[in-house]
Amino acid sequence: MHRRDVLKGALAATVAGGALAAPAIARAQTKVRWRMPSSFPQVLDTVYGAGAFIAERVATMTDGQFEITPYAAGEIVPPLGILDGVQAGTVECGITAGFYYLGKMPALVFDTGVPFGMTPRQHMAWMQYGGGNDLMAGLYDQFNAVQFPCGNTGAQMGGWFRKPIESVDDLKGLRIRAAGYLGQIYAALGAVPQQIPGSDLYSALERGTLDAVEFVGPYDDEKLGFQKVAKYYYGPGVLELGASLCFLANSQAYAALPATFQQILKSACSESYTDMLAKYDQRNIGALRRLVASGVQLKSWTPEIMTAMQTATARLLADQAATDETFGRVHTAWKAFLDEQLLWGSVNDFAAESFIVANRGR
Amino acid sequence: MHRRDVLKGALAATVAGGALAAPAIARAQTKVRWRMPSSFPQVLDTVYGAGAFIAERVATMTDGQFEITPYAAGEIVPPLGILDGVQAGTVECGITAGFYYLGKMPALVFDTGVPFGMTPRQHMAWMQYGGGNDLMAGLYDQFNAVQFPCGNTGAQMGGWFRKPIESVDDLKGLRIRAAGYLGQIYAALGAVPQQIPGSDLYSALERGTLDAVEFVGPYDDEKLGFQKVAKYYYGPGVLELGASLCFLANSQAYAALPATFQQILKSACSESYTDMLAKYDQRNIGALRRLVASGVQLKSWTPEIMTAMQTATARLLADQAATDETFGRVHTAWKAFLDEQLLWGSVNDFAAESFIVANRGR
């Protein structure tokens, strides 16, 4: 239906613009309207905010001729139904994260990030110059979708725990909310991952139905109030060095756009990627200071725990690669690129940052 | 002259588009042509390439209605004359780096980066959410210019040395090509910084007129062939954690653009920022591998040397701040933001990356 509207609009514009005999002008007259549901609730102004950011940029760049209306999680499609909606053409586009759909296709986790994986910068280098974009395009094409990275949270925190976690043994039997791959890693370490909607997390933690919650980072977590019911806040985010969000568009709807609108959409998504990370970086440290001032115990995973997590991750990825050709192919390419970036970082960028972090305040 | 062309074009478009009574269409017809000189030669396809990237994106997003023509260093204005050219309106815009103009206004170094300063990610967070953009806008306004970050090299290497540098004493009397602030820091450590154009660096190093050259990183350095005449390649890039390039536009030329073109330009610059860094990250490690395979000795500064560099940097910044109110104001804001980001990194992103770098290959 929407696709038909677009085509009808294009046709009308061609007729109206006929006298000018200039295709550029004809296309500029085609007003396009898209609906953009999000997997995220409005309260998370960071991740949900990417939609408003992209819609505003696109409207400004097209002088209102390409109008994208954002909808919060669940408003017009279920929060985790974005890929289905885009594939079916129920909506023209949406904002979500690939790893929500690992049940459909495990290799989509590489579009978002995997434990012990890439920083936001490494992810972008892989996507743009390491073949990542092509690999991901091949996957999403099977869902009748095109995707553009449109945001990154940066490293997420390890989460909120009602008791201190001093050793791997302390994870045994722990009921923790940890989605997707993170849940599988906690399970491998003896914990009992729970799937609970974001809106119920606070009360589950308060009642003791849950022992721990992995969510995002200080700025988002503070809003949900976990600090009131779980005192121990663990880092660093080795299980999530970054989560790259994606803008998905229905392939036919995208193909029907004039080339100008296609590029405007892509540039707006790229700008949003940088904007979201900058926003998180600025806001997280302020929130963390407030949390610590309110009595939160900021704790670091022990090396033993991180090593166990890393071993569990390597095993999980290897097992998946052994039984899933697509996953194995993407994983091999992704890992080779990451290893090279880690080597480069150890020589230059990361090494320089290490000295500065270790000697800050001088 | 160009400004008049723009206005004349807008007027003609208004008349031609009158029958449509739609301002959006009228503006879409205004063809704008800008000239964009660069401070960089074409051989550096990374930094020079930003211009071609931005021009292409802008052309695509405006269906060719906003045409920006890139010129290499020295073609129509001197390599370091971009700010002058933009200020005078000789050219509408250009691509350069703020720190080239520290002689005019020292605080412009913060637009590019200072030793022991910000990573590309920290710089973007500061610019967009830490007040950096507003501070820089205030500085460039005095030169009748607006600026947008349009690229970042990532950390640059320490440079090429004909002899090993094992201690601060080895720097005494060393004739090193190191521009701007880096030169001042080397001077504080007893070296003798030289200002030599990029095109003459190879022969100066070969003849022994120079003992060392600081340039960019493996991908760019390899092209200039320094590895053939200086065997020791030092890192990490504590003196340059990142160099942010800027797109400068003449204030009147920018104000005369329709709002659509203004935002298209800004989004293209933002996309270019991410693109350049991704390109460098992917290409640098391959070049470094080739350099090492060809016999280059990859070396790390000793902690003693890095500490001396850090101390010299702190003194230089403090001295400048004491005598230059503008510099002091920007430095205070910049430093406060960086310190918070270093704290946040030490808790989460950097801490997570540290574990992964230390345990890579597992």
Side-chain angles (χ1 to χ4, degrees):
Chain A
M1 185 180 66
H2 269 77
R3 162 119 171 91
R4 219 172 289 147
D5 283 355
V6 169
L7 291 179
K8 223 163 59 186
L11 212 64
T14 305
V15 173
L20 293 166
I25 307 306
R27 283 209 295 276
Q29 286 178 268
T30 313
K31 179 142 183 171
V32 177
R33 287 190 183 85
W34 277 17
R35 295 180 304 163
M36 176 177 55
S38 171
S39 287
F40 309 102
Q42 262 177 313
V43 64
L44 300 180
D45 63 332
T46 39
V47 281
Y48 174 77
F53 182 94
I54 292 166
E56 186 276 322
R57 285 294 193 264
V58 167
T60 304
M61 289 193 267
T62 64
D63 204 13
Q65 297 304 297
F66 185 3
E67 187 183 299
I68 304 178
T69 307
Y71 294 94
E75 268 196 276
I76 57 172
V77 298
L80 305 186
I82 307 289
L83 184 56
D84 282 341
V86 166
Q87 180 174 12
T90 315
V91 289
E92 294 81 9
C93 64
I95 290 184
T96 187
F99 70 1
Y100 289 146
Y101 312 102
L102 68 87
K104 292 177 187 289
M105 183 182 276
L108 289 174
V109 295
F110 293 102
D111 187 38
T112 313
V114 299
F116 296 88
M118 293 182 178
T119 64
R121 172 172 165 179
Q122 290 164 344
H123 183 75
M124 228 14 167
W126 179 61
M127 289 297 277
Q128 294 182 213
Y129 289 95
N133 272 336
D134 287 345
L135 283 169
M136 291 305 112
L139 303 188
Y140 282 109
D141 189 54
Q142 299 174 48
F143 297 95
N144 199 35
V146 294
Q147 81 90 17
F148 311 113
C150 72
N152 199 308
T153 62
Q156 300 197 7
M157 286 288 285
W160 299 89
F161 294 75
R162 286 162 59 93
K163 293 186 183 161
I165 306 295
E166 310 282 356
S167 72
V168 175
D169 274 350
D170 291 337
L171 291 170
K172 302 252 184 297
L174 195 88
R175 291 159 304 170
I176 181 169
R177 186 270 186 177
Y181 255 49
L182 272 67
Q184 294 185 46
I185 287 156
Y186 274 110
L189 300 179
V192 187
Q194 314 281 314
Q195 303 297 336
I196 294 180
S199 50
D200 298 340
L201 290 177
Y202 179 88
S203 60
L205 204 54
E206 190 183 28
R207 285 198 315 273
T209 314
L210 272 181
D211 302 308
V213 164
E214 190 279 336
F215 195 60
V216 185
Y219 179 71
D220 291 333
D221 293 5
E222 183 187 33
K223 290 186 187 173
L224 273 73
F226 301 130
Q227 67 277 10
K228 296 175 204 149
V229 286
K231 191 169 149 192
Y232 302 96
Y233 197 25
Y234 275 87
V238 287
L239 295 181
E240 217 162 352
L241 271 284
S244 177
L245 271 59
C246 67
F247 178 97
L248 294 182
N250 175 275
S251 295
Q252 286 75 44
Y254 182 74
L257 291 177
T260 50
F261 289 7
Q262 288 180 343
Q263 184 57 54
I264 281 169
L265 191 56
K266 285 194 275 188
S267 289
C269 287
S270 173
E271 193 181 355
S272 176
Y273 188 90
T274 303
D275 181 81
M276 187 188 294
L277 187 60
K279 194 183 290 175
Y280 265 117
D281 281 344
Q282 187 264 329
R283 295 181 183 178
N284 271 329
I285 183 62
L288 184 64
R289 282 191 177 279
R290 288 190 296 274
L291 290 168
V292 170
S294 79
V296 165
Q297 297 285 310
L298 184 61
K299 306 279 277 181
S300 173
W301 298 123
T302 64
E304 179 226 359
I305 292 173
M306 289 194 278
T307 300
M309 287 172 169
Q310 189 177 31
T311 305
T313 300
R315 192 172 304 134
L316 184 67
L317 295 173
D319 287 353
Q320 189 89 52
T323 60
D324 177 339
E325 187 275 332
T326 302
F327 188 96
R329 188 166 44 86
V330 176
H331 177 249
T332 300
W334 175 91
K335 185 71 167 61
F337 191 86
L338 174 56
D339 286 346
E340 287 295 280
Q341 290 303 304
L342 291 174
L343 179 62
W344 172 232
S346 74
V347 170
N348 202 25
D349 291 75
F350 175 80
E353 204 179 345
S354 295
F355 182 86
I356 291 173
V357 169
N359 297 284
R360 67 182 191 277
R362 276 203 192 164
Chain B
M1 185 177 69
H2 270 78
R3 163 123 170 87
R4 219 173 289 147
D5 283 354
V6 168
L7 291 179
K8 224 164 57 185
L11 212 64
T14 305
V15 173
L20 293 164
I25 307 304
R27 282 209 294 277
Q29 285 177 268
T30 314
K31 179 141 184 172
V32 177
R33 287 189 184 84
W34 276 17
R35 294 179 305 162
M36 176 177 56
S38 171
S39 288
F40 310 102
Q42 260 177 315
V43 64
L44 300 180
D45 62 333
T46 39
V47 281
Y48 174 78
F53 182 94
I54 292 166
E56 186 276 323
R57 285 294 193 265
V58 167
T60 304
M61 288 193 267
T62 63
D63 204 12
Q65 297 304 296
F66 186 3
E67 188 182 296
I68 303 178
T69 307
Y71 294 94
E75 268 196 277
I76 58 171
V77 298
L80 305 186
I82 307 289
L83 183 57
D84 282 340
V86 166
Q87 180 173 13
T90 316
V91 290
E92 295 80 10
C93 65
I95 290 185
T96 186
F99 69 2
Y100 289 146
Y101 311 101
L102 67 88
K104 293 176 186 288
M105 184 181 277
L108 289 175
V109 296
F110 293 103
D111 186 37
T112 313
V114 299
F116 296 88
M118 293 182 177
T119 64
R121 172 173 165 178
Q122 289 163 345
H123 182 75
M124 230 8 171
W126 179 60
M127 290 296 279
Q128 295 183 209
Y129 289 95
N133 271 337
D134 287 346
L135 284 169
M136 292 304 113
L139 303 188
Y140 282 108
D141 189 53
Q142 299 174 49
F143 297 95
N144 198 35
V146 294
Q147 80 91 17
F148 312 114
C150 72
N152 200 307
T153 62
Q156 301 198 6
M157 286 289 284
W160 299 89
F161 294 75
R162 286 160 60 92
K163 292 184 183 163
I165 306 296
E166 310 282 357
S167 72
V168 175
D169 274 349
D170 292 337
L171 292 170
K172 303 253 184 294
L174 196 87
R175 292 160 303 171
I176 180 168
R177 185 271 186 175
Y181 256 48
L182 273 67
Q184 295 185 45
I185 287 156
Y186 275 109
L189 299 179
V192 187
Q194 314 283 314
Q195 303 295 336
I196 293 180
S199 50
D200 299 339
L201 290 176
Y202 179 88
S203 60
L205 204 53
E206 191 183 29
R207 286 198 314 273
T209 315
L210 272 180
D211 302 309
V213 164
E214 191 279 335
F215 196 61
V216 186
Y219 180 71
D220 292 333
D221 293 3
E222 183 188 34
K223 290 186 188 172
L224 274 72
F226 300 130
Q227 67 278 8
K228 296 175 205 150
V229 286
K231 192 170 148 192
Y232 302 97
Y233 197 25
Y234 275 86
V238 286
L239 294 181
E240 216 163 352
L241 271 285
S244 178
L245 271 59
C246 66
F247 178 96
L248 294 181
N250 174 275
S251 295
Q252 287 74 43
Y254 181 73
L257 291 178
T260 50
F261 289 6
Q262 288 180 343
Q263 184 57 54
I264 282 169
L265 191 56
K266 286 195 273 188
S267 289
C269 287
S270 171
E271 193 182 355
S272 177
Y273 188 91
T274 303
D275 182 80
M276 187 189 293
L277 188 59
K279 196 184 288 175
Y280 265 117
D281 281 343
Q282 188 264 328
R283 295 180 183 178
N284 270 330
I285 182 62
L288 184 64
R289 281 190 177 279
R290 288 190 297 274
L291 290 168
V292 170
S294 79
V296 165
Q297 297 284 310
L298 184 62
K299 307 278 279 178
S300 174
W301 298 124
T302 64
E304 180 226 356
I305 292 174
M306 289 194 278
T307 300
M309 288 172 169
Q310 189 177 31
T311 305
T313 299
R315 190 172 307 134
L316 184 67
L317 294 173
D319 287 352
Q320 189 89 52
T323 60
D324 177 339
E325 187 275 331
T326 302
F327 188 96
R329 189 166 44 86
V330 176
H331 177 248
T332 300
W334 176 91
K335 186 70 166 65
F337 191 87
L338 174 57
D339 285 346
E340 287 294 280
Q341 290 303 304
L342 291 173
L343 180 61
W344 171 231
S346 74
V347 169
N348 202 24
D349 291 76
F350 175 80
E353 204 180 344
S354 295
F355 182 86
I356 291 173
V357 169
N359 297 283
R360 68 182 190 277
R362 276 206 189 162

